[in-house]
Structures are given as structure tokens and as C-alpha cells.
Amino acid sequence: METDIEEPYISERCRPEADQVNHPGWLFLFTFTSRSHLPLLTLALILSVASGIAVPVLAVLLGKLFDCFTNFGAASHSGSELVSKVSRWDIAMTALGCASGLLNAGFFMLWLAFGELQAKSVRDKLFGGMLEKDMEWYDMRKDGVEALIQRVQTQVIAVSTSQPVGFAIQYSVTALAALGLATYYAWDLTLITLVTVPFSGLVLAWISARMQPSIDAQNKELNKCSKYANNAIQAIDTVKYFSGQDFELWQYSKAVRSAAKYYLLQARANAFQIGFVRFVTLAMFVQGFWYGSHLVQTGKKNAGEVLTAFWACLMATQAFEQILPQMIVLEKGRAAGATLKAILSQMESKRRVVMQGHLKPDFCEGDIEVRNVGRCHETMRSALLKPSDQLALNNASFFFPAGETTFVIGRSGSGKSTVGNLLMRFYALSSGDIFLDGHPIQTLDINWLRNNITLVQQQSVLFNETVFKNIAFGRKDWARVRREEVSCAIETAFLQHTLTDLPHGLETPVGVGGNAMSGGQKQRVAIARARLRNTPILILDEATSALDYISRGLVMEAIREWREGKTTVIITHDLSQIAENEYAYILDKGVTVQEGYRGTLEKEPIGPLATNRRPFLNENPLPTLPDPQTQLFNAPAVTASQSSYISGRSDDSLNIKYRLRRTFAQSMFSTSPEDLKHAKEATSSQHVVSPILPAIFSMRRASGVPRMSPAPSWSQTQPIQALNPPLTPQAQEQEMQNVNLINEWHEASEIEAGKHPRRTAPTLEAYAKAIPLDSLGALKGKLPRRHRKPTKANKDHRIAPVKKILLTVWPALSWNQRVLLILGFTCAAVHAAATPVFSYVFAKLLSTFFIKTHRSEMALKWSFSVLGVATCDAVASFVMHYLLEKCGQIWVDTIRVEAMKRMLDQPRAWFDRDKNKRSKLTDGLDRNAEEMRNILGRFAAFVFIAVLMMAISIVWSLILSWKLTLVALASTPILYLLTRSFETISGKWESKSNDVGMSCASIFTETFGNIRAVRALTLEGYFHKKYLKSTDRAFKTGLQRSFYSGLFFGLSDSAIIFVTALIFYFGAVLVSFKAFGVESILTVFAMLLFSIANVNAIVALIPQISASRVTATRLLRLSNLPYQASHEHTGHIRLSEPGEIVFCGLNFNFPSQPAATPILQNLDLVLPARTTTVLVGASGSGKSTLTSLILGLYATQPGQLSFSGYPIESLHLPTLRSLISIVPQTPHLLPSTISENIVYGLPEQSSHASASSVRRAAKLAGIDSFIRSLPLGYSTLIGEGGTGLSGGQAQRIAIARAVVRKPTLLILDEATSALDEESAAGVRKLVKRLVEQGVGVLIVSHERGMMEGREDVVVLAKGEVAERGGFRELMRKRRGELRRLLGEGMD
């Protein structure tokens, strides 16, 4: 069968999703609306229309009421008639209030529910869509998968914010209905009044169109903010190791400022819109009242008809004005809808047809043939690269026979892991074929295939579940797995000892990404999972690299016993794992260059398994560094032209005068004439194929017997020597001119090694024996069935009140910005005063309808007064909105950057807490900050205006009619109670909705952050069900929220209508008894009605403000974290070198696991200064923990750790860390260029950060030639969204990052775990030369090669020093711990 798969071209796949929708329309707000949503949407629209019509009906009633008072003022009605008519209209207004309350409650409920439907729809569609994407799609995300995940979560929130849509529809209906009403009562007056509206509409539409590019640009910068924050938190160890906090804060604040710049463009446009509408709304009174007065005077219309028409026009324009605050929310909503739609559409675009299988054989024998396969590096596709440089596999062929174990070995980046990825069908083939049991792999059902193949990768992925569940995931029916079934898997992985150390055994949660376990422990769990899975085919991709030697050997023997008679492919660079009778393929640059049984390959003159080994084909080890005593040439300075690689140039014009001793092709073919002679004799019938050889050359097994299944054979047509002529004398002379990089590196610090006396800790003759395999039964009784319930301390903080949040504004602003804030609120005061002043002028205009003389002159006079008020109000409104939005943005950015600063300052243990998960922290810095700004820019300003407006109106009203005013004030407590209840209920349910939304986001992040492991274990169904349950829970919570919020919204919104009816009735009573004049009562009516209308508008903002309060609380928690209060800032002593490092009775356990067995127990250890010490021990013995303590990542008890005699708590940690460099076991590359990764954390002005220093460090790490082969050289982007690197390449860059600093102490924590033997030998040579230059080296390793010849080897066991001494000395101990670890003391 055929299906569609995307064309993997970088020009299409890497394009930003948002760019595919340049001008999103309003329909994008309903992108994820399905047919099942239509009934709810239809009902919501009906209620929106009905509630919108209620406002014009109110205008009719107000017109009738004003007409009654006008007639009374004109002596047309008596006092009793006035009260009677007003009472009738008040009864109608009360009925309208009841209807309005029900309509508004229903309308608000339904729109909130529709928003929840939208959120669930988009979540489910995106999850399902991304779950179906191939790995190429993930690899080619421009900003990386993590940034995409965060971006999606933010856009989901924007799309689900639907109540602004409801308000916009309601206000639009109100405006249209009001216009219709005005036209009905006085069409000519309506046209005169609204003559400026068409022009105003064009202006507003033009401004809205100009806002869209700013919204897109702001979203782009906010994505950068999320990316930077996410990566800084993810790589917090690296950030602290290299003191990169300042750099992370700088690039984050730079992106924040850039996003703010684009937001202020939107704010300015929006403020202009609001000011413009405000002016038009008030200015229309000039022509409207003048013409209305004319109609009354000529008798064409009575005062009631004119007032009804005019009041309807006013309500129409006010409705348009109320739409504007929703516009930015709606703009972001449609932009979010367009972005998410583009992501989904991109999943369907640029597809090509390939075979998609549905074949499910009854049995999988496990016979695999890989024939002439080519596969590109997906993240390295570029038009700048030659096709051959893009290939991870280049016409490679393998045969993995059923029931046998086969090894695939090769250098880092040679394409080994690509073999496993292709067999799992993570990627499509570029060329060639793969057959499983004779079936083309693309014809097999993908789930059947992955259920019959298990892939265990070097970076073992554990999910945020218990140890038991992580192992049980190996089975398709994981929910039915019993503990007895897991015991065999635990034995295979030798996991028993680890389980006894865990606080809850098998039921211990492993944390996010398995961060509660060491690298070796995670690999053991992954192997146990594979054992339980027990598929016919097993692929181990560096699956034991983090294990110690003895554990690795035991696990490999257990795997061999388990896999006997089953197909097993082992991808490794550890040659010791290959038995003499096991078959191996040797890869180099994607080409199979050798193959055969180990016993045969050892007899070859060349190759990594050759007994008398000569350099291997195309090997590029770390440079062979000349002895300082015998070197012939001093290292010259790197010229500017040489540094061009760092700025992105990679052309061949770079003139390097002094080259390294040999290239690898020369090492292979041009070593010497004798080498060529031996090669010729040994390969007379067996040929080694190089990537530079034509395809016509023969590829045969070194044993002479073809292992490949029958296939066309090629004949030899050209001798090897013809391709590899001897070096010319000039070339030989140039090759002899090597660069003494180490001497130049340390030319300023020539310190003799060995000056410091070495203390040797007492050795332990006895060692702890392994736990018996049957101890698992005893362990079961200790395992609790349920997790402990969370305590109150673990619950989220209470929502901060608005007052407390706003009190943080003033300290966050500079004095100049505070002046702007004061000016903004001054303009707000002017804006607030404008309404009572307008109300007074409006009352004067109303009085012109019942005066007998000079009616036109008075109408004109007060109309121009309105024009003056409109001008002042419009200017004040524009300045107020813009300045307060600007101050709000500055405030939020200050809080955001402060939060980032304080967060990065927290000790490492803080990041291990559950409430400080990466997704929560990133969301707090991203979405929470954006919503928090509304509190000042919108809510605070409107509350200030409403309070001031009400105060002015009340004082003015008290002067004019104190009795009527007091009656109106009597209803204030009820209004306040309803409004406060609405705010409280809305905030409570908003918080609950956010919590369940975060749960959805966590599952989304875990699934797609580990998508490769999810697919390898065919856990798509599990995570899909888990996510659907979470979204169902979020949907139900959202429905509850919509019910309660809608109910209280209806009550608070309709209460104002009842108050209005009360005011009119009591006003009529007062006028009828002639307690006050009609003009005074009308003035009070106008003031109170306009003020109440503004208060009502604020009520509509409460749901948004409640959301802002919740998010502000979370962001303020981060910004109020203690700063420089952890153990990292207790000391002030600045050492010039670390000196002697002493551990004295040290006990340590991770703060996140207080109940677990201590990792380090009563540790006494001395590390002499400027010497080399090797730390050895089983996985989980505390080696990496010890290195993290040396760098101060975790706090220790006072006096238990000291440097040069000073306790670590008295030392200035940044200075100490600047003296120490580390190559961690799992190096983390940041999403930046190679050059920026190498100089990460160095001050810009540092000499170590120069281009020449970078390149020297890269040469020392043996990565320079690879970097220069890239199109952009040292400016190539790596990390999330950049060029993908192999594990070995990443480790070399980490080595370059460590040595560029010229440290006094270099820590290598399993620094060769991802390197092949030749590269590891280069690291050993590097260590040797560094020691000769006086650099202290602390080596953490399981590999014998890193220990041999060392005079100080420390063996850790159970957190203590088991023995210590020279390597030879310890190996002579028959029952020694080191011998046991290396597998030589097992007798």
C-alpha cells in the first residue's frame, strides 16, 4: 500500500510555521471547530445576539424615561403622572434586567465552554498529528523540538481564550441593533450623528492591518525567550559549571527587550485606536445635538424620539469602543490559530509517495540484510554541502544473520547509530534496500516491526514513572506485568544493588527524564526493560557505555546468554566487547571498510582490531602532540586567515603554514613504503574499501568467505597503491612541522609537575560482594503499593491579591519610567474627570429640549463644549493607554528578567523539586509574563478611572441631589459583593484550569521530548491515552469553571440594570415633590449612568484579570526567590588555584532523595594539587557526584570539603569554577554556534575567547578538521534546531570547551565513553601532555586504558574509598577491588 511522507528538504521543512500564513483572517479563530462543536457554538451565538439586543432595548427604555422627565420639565405631565409612567417603564426595565442576567450568564457559560472545546480539539489534533510525524520532521525544527513544544502550549492557551470572541459579537450586535433603533426613530438624525463613522472605520481597519506584522515579530521573539529559558534550565549543570548565568541572562533579556519593542508598536496603535474612537464618540454630539434641537424646535420630532435615537447612537459607538480592548486578544487568537493550523498543514505538505506496509508475518526469524543503503544526515542537509558529505551511510551493506550476534564498530560520526535508526524505520531510506526475513522493510507493518525489534540507545530514556513501570513498559501489556516477571530482567541488568539503595525500591519514581538516577543506573533499567521485552531482534547502541568494566562484562555475558539463538546487533566503539568468534563490521564515513570475525581481523595489517596495529582508515584522532623536550618548532600564532573558519568561512584558500603530523587518509595509505608493502601482501585477495575509492571496487570479507546474501559481485580493476602515492619531499617536510599547542597554551604558566607531596589514603583489602539475585524477593516486601499523598507544603501558593501584585510595579521602574507612570495615571485622572464633565454638559444639552427661548444657541454652545471635552479626553486616553502599557511592559520585563536571574542563581537541588519542573518554569517566564502585563496596562488603569470617576460623580451628585445620590450609594455594597464574588470564583476556577492545563503540557512535553524512545517501545498508544485522559480532565474542569463563572457574571452584569431602575423611580419621586429641579436630577442621572456603564465594562474584564492574577502569582514567586543566599554565595576567598582537595568524613545524599541510602558515606579522600588521579568504581558508587561536589553544585556539611586548606563554604565559587573545567559524562550543547559553545561562559574581553584560542582548543580536542568541513565552519549552529552531532563529536566539543579556559584542574567524567579507541588514545595523550605542563587532571572512568600507567587510582565502593594506589600496585592485589572491577579478580 502507498502512503505519503514528506520530502525531507531543508528549505521546506525548516521554514517557520507562522510564515506560511501571512495575513490570517478571523476565521482562524475557529480553525479547530468541528461539526460536534456547532450546536454549542450556534447556541452561544444566539445568546450573544440576544444579550447584544438587550442593550438597545435598554436604550429604548432610557429614552422613554428621559422623555417622561422632559415632559414634566416642559409642564406637560403632573408629578403623579410622572411617577406612574416612570413606574411602568421601571417594571419593564426590571424584567429586562432579569432577562439580561439569564442571557449574559448563558452567553458567558457557553463561550467559556466553547473555548474549552477548542482547547481540547487543538490539543488532541496536535498530539495525534505530531505522533504520526516521522523523525525527520522533528530533526528539522528550526528552533528545536523543545521550543516547538513550548510554543504549541502557549498558542493553545491563546486559541482557547474564547470569551473575547463572545464579547466582540455581543458588542457588534449591540452596535448594529442600536443603529437600527436610531434609524427607526430618527433616520436623518442618525445619519447626521454618524456621518464620521465610515471614515473612522477605514482608519481603524488600516491601523489593525498595520498591527499584524508586529504581532508576528513579537511571537517570534517570545519563541526565542522560551527557547533560551528552556535550554538554560535543561542545561543548568553546564550553566553552573562554566559560570554561564550572566550569558544566559544577557541573551534572554535581549530577546525580552526585542519582544517588548514589537509589543509597544502594538500598544501605540491600539492606544491611538482607543483615543480616536473616544474622540469620535464624543464629538458626534456636536452635529447630533445641534440637529436634534432643530428637529424638536421645528416639531418634526418630539424630545423622546430624538433622545432615543441619540441614546442609541451613543450606545452603538460605545459598543464599538468596548470592542477595541478585545482586539489585541483576538489578534493573538487568530495568529495562534493560524500558527497551529500551519503546523498541522505542514504535516501534510510536500509529501512524496513511498511504500507503507501492512504485512504482519506470523513469525520473525530475525534475518536482516542491508543492501547498498544510503542515508543523509537530516540536520546537515544543505545546498552548500557536497552530496557525499551529507551521507551518514554511503552505499553501505550488511548482513545480520538470524540467531547470531553481530557488532558494528567505527569512529564517532561514522554512521553506526544510523543503522539502528533505519532498522527501526525512524527514517526513510535515501537509497538501497533493507530486508527482514526476505521482506522489504517498508512493506512490513510499522508496529509489527517495532514490536519485534528492541533498540537500546546510549542516552537511555526513562519516563516520569516508577522504576517498575519503566521496566514494565518493555511489554505491550505492561499493565499486566507482575513483579515476578520483572525479576529475571533485573538479574540480567544486575539492578538488584541499585534497587536496595532506592527509598521505595521498584516503586521509586525516577523523576523527569530519570534525573533521580545516574547514567549507569538508567542504562541498567533500559537493559532490564529490553530483557522483559525479549524481542527476536535486539539492537544495543552504546547501551553499556556508562557502566564500569566489571558490570559491563557481567551484563554483556548475561546478554549473550539471554540472546543465544536470537539476532543481536551491538553498536559500539568498545572493542573489548567483541569475542574472537563474533562477526564485526567496521564503518568509516558511512562506508563499510572492513568486515569479518575478530580472530581474522586481528591478523589484518590495518584496522582497529589489527594485532600489530597501524593507523586506521580516515582516522582523525586527537593530534599527536610532540614532546616539549624534543620539539623542533615553536607554535606560531594563528593568523587572521586561519581564524576565518570561526566566522563562518570554510573555503580552501585558508593558508595554514603548519599542519598536524598526518591526515588520516595519509595515516592509512602513506605511512611508509613498508606499510604499503605489507598492505599489498595481506590484501592480495581481500581488499579494504575506502570512501574515496570508486564503487567498482570489491568489498569482501576479511576471511575471504562472503557473508552477504547472494548479490552481484564486483571485480578489482585498480591496485590500491595507485590511489595513494608516497608523499613528496615537500609534503613530508610540511608534515614534520607540527604545532606545539600545549606549550603555547601554557606558555604563561610553566609550572613543574610533582612539586606537591601526595597523600595516599589507606587501602581496603576487603570489598563488598554483589547482592544475591534472590534478594529481590526480600525487596518486594519493602515496596509500598501507593505513593504518599502530597502535603500542604507541596501545594501551589495561594493566588496573590491584585494590590500585592501592583505593589511590585514601583520598585521595578527607574525614576524616568516612574515619571511616565505618574504621567499615565495623571492622564487617567483627566480621562476619569472627562466623563462627569461630559455628563454635566450632556445634561445641559438635554435641558435645551424643554427651554422655550434661545434653544438653538444653547444647543450649539453646549455642543461645542462637548467638542472641547472630546479633544481633551481623546488625547488623555491615548497617552494614558500607551504610557501605562509601556510601563506595564517594562514592569513585566523587569520582573521576568529578575525571575530568570534569581532562578539561575538557585542551587542545583532546587531544580530537582517537582514544583520546579522545566515546563512549569518556562511557562512561568513565558505565558505568565505576557498575561501579567494586563494587570497594570488594563485592569489597574480602569479601576483607577472607575474609582475616580465614581468619586467625582458622587461628590458632584451629592451637591446637586444628595438624597438621590445616597439611594444610589445604598446599592453599592450589593454591587461590590456580586463583583467580588465573581472575581473570587473566576480566579479560583482559573487556577484549577491552569493546573490541569499544566498537567496536559507535562505529558505533551514528556512524549515529544522523548519521541524516539516512545516509538522504539511502541508506547504511542499509552501516552495518547494518558494525554486524552488529561485533556478530558481539563475539559471537565473547564466546564465547571464556565458554569460558576457564567452564573456570577450574569448576576454582576444585570445588577446594574436594577440599580438604574431604582435611581429613576426615586428621582421621579423627588421631582414630583419638587425636592429638586429636573435639570439637577437629569445631571445626576447622566453622571451615575455613565459611571455605572464604565464600572460594568470593568466587570467584563474580571475573567481576564483573574487569569492574569494566577499567572502573576507564579511569576512573582520566581522573582522573589532568594538571591545569593545559597551555599554558592557564602564564601569570599578567591584562590589562585584549587590546590589540594580534601574530603574529610563527607556524607552526602541528594536533597530530593533524603530517604535513600547516602551516595557518599564518611568519605576520606585527598586529591593532591597538579597531579593526575583516576576515580574508579561501579555505576552509582558516587564518582560523578563527587565531581559535582568539587564544583560546588550541591552543598556539603561545613568542614567536610576543602581546597588548599580552605573549606569550600568560605570560597568564592565563581572564582573556583573558573579554575576548574569539566567534561561531563553527558555533554550538553547549547543552541548556538560551535564557537559560542566552546567559549561559553567566558567574558567577551577574555583572551581565551579569541578566534585563535577557539581553534587551538578545537585542534586539541581533535574536532577542528570536522568543523572546518562544515559550510559555516565555527559559525555552524548546533544544539536544539541546529546541526545534529554524534555523541563522540559532541564530546569533543565539550573537551574543547574545557581546555580553551586553560584550567588548573581538568575533570574528565567518562570523557571517552562516546569515543572510539583511537580518539580515546588521543585523549590519553592530551592528558599526559597537560600533566607535564602542570595541569591537574581528575579522571572518572570505567575504561582500563584511562587507568593504565597512573600512579594514583582511587576505587570507590558504597560511597567510600575501597582502595587506593598506583594502577600496577592495585592490579597486583589478588583480591583487590580494582581487579574485581576490571574482571581479573573473579577467581
Side-chain angles (χ1 to χ4, degrees), residues 203-209 211 266-279 321 324 327-328 331 878:
V203 172
L204 295 178
W206 179 78
I207 294 174
S208 295
M211 287 171 63
Q266 302 169 46
R268 185 169 59 192
N270 195 46
F272 182 81
Q273 283 182 319
I274 293 172
F276 182 76
V277 169
R278 189 72 178 172
F279 175 79
E321 186 178 7
L324 292 178
M327 287 305 296
I328 287 185
E331 289 279 0
F878 167 76

Side-chain angles (χ1 to χ4, degrees), residues 566-622:
K566 297 178 181 178
T567 306
T568 307
V569 179
I570 301 178
I571 299 169
T572 184
H573 61 258
D574 183 7
L575 307 183
S576 65
Q577 295 183 12
I578 310 174
E580 186 175 1
N581 62 344
E582 288 178 324
Y583 203 89
Y585 287 95
I586 302 172
L587 280 178
D588 188 69
K589 291 190 175 181
V591 176
T592 307
V593 293
Q594 276 189 322
E595 60 172 302
Y597 293 97
R598 174 164 188 157
T600 305
L601 292 175
E602 286 178 344
K603 299 175 184 178
E604 291 296 305
I606 54 176
L609 292 171
T611 304
N612 299 317
R613 188 163 185 269
R614 293 186 178 93
F616 180 50
L617 174 69
N618 283 338
E619 288 175 348
N620 187 18
L622 297 176

